[in-house]
């Protein structure tokens, strides 16, 4: 889709991914922890003042089909966010 390996392996790619996953200040990290505790996406988003950029994943299935690629992790995250799949069940599928 136009990205480069150099961009991915730099601060704007892998660096951002690492901070997003592990920083207690990351909105995405916070959403993930709360989902893991059993809160629903609706409960989480209604209590947040800012949007976690990882949540708007609605276009992922159509993009995956269009690009003809497999995205097992994204598929499971989508299922947790929008299909009420339990996080532990999604984790076992990955």
């Amino acid at each position: 889709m136009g990205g480069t390996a150099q961009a991915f392996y730099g601060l704007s790619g892998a660096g951002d991914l690492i901070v997003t996953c592990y920083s207690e200040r990351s909105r995405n990290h916070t959403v993930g922890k709360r989902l893991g505790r059993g809160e629903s996406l609706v409960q989480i988003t209604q209590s947040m003042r800012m949007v976690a950029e990882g949540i708007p994943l609605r276009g992922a299935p159509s993009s995956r089909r269009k690009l003809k690629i497999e995205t097992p992790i994204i598929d499971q995250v989508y299922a947790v966010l929008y299909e009420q799949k339990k996080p532990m069940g999604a984790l076992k599928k990955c």
Side-chain angles (χ1 to χ4, degrees), residues 22-82:
Y22 294 105
S23 173
E24 293 289 331
R25 292 183 171 179
S26 164
R27 294 174 298 227
N28 289 315
H29 177 84
T30 300
V31 170
K33 283 179 74 170
R34 291 177 68 180
L35 285 168
R37 291 184 190 132
E39 292 183 62
S40 73
L41 183 59
V42 171
Q43 291 172 312
I44 296 166
T45 55
Q46 287 179 346
S47 70
M48 293 181 74
R49 289 185 282 143
M50 298 176 75
V51 174
E53 62 274 6
I55 292 175
L57 204 66
R58 291 236 184 244
S62 62
S63 294
R64 174 183 49 78
R65 285 189 297 275
K66 181 180 174 183
L67 295 168
K68 297 179 179 151
I69 58 174
E70 293 185 25
T71 56
I73 295 173
I74 292 172
D75 295 346
Q76 293 307 309
V77 171
Y78 183 93
V80 169
L81 293 177
Y82 300 111

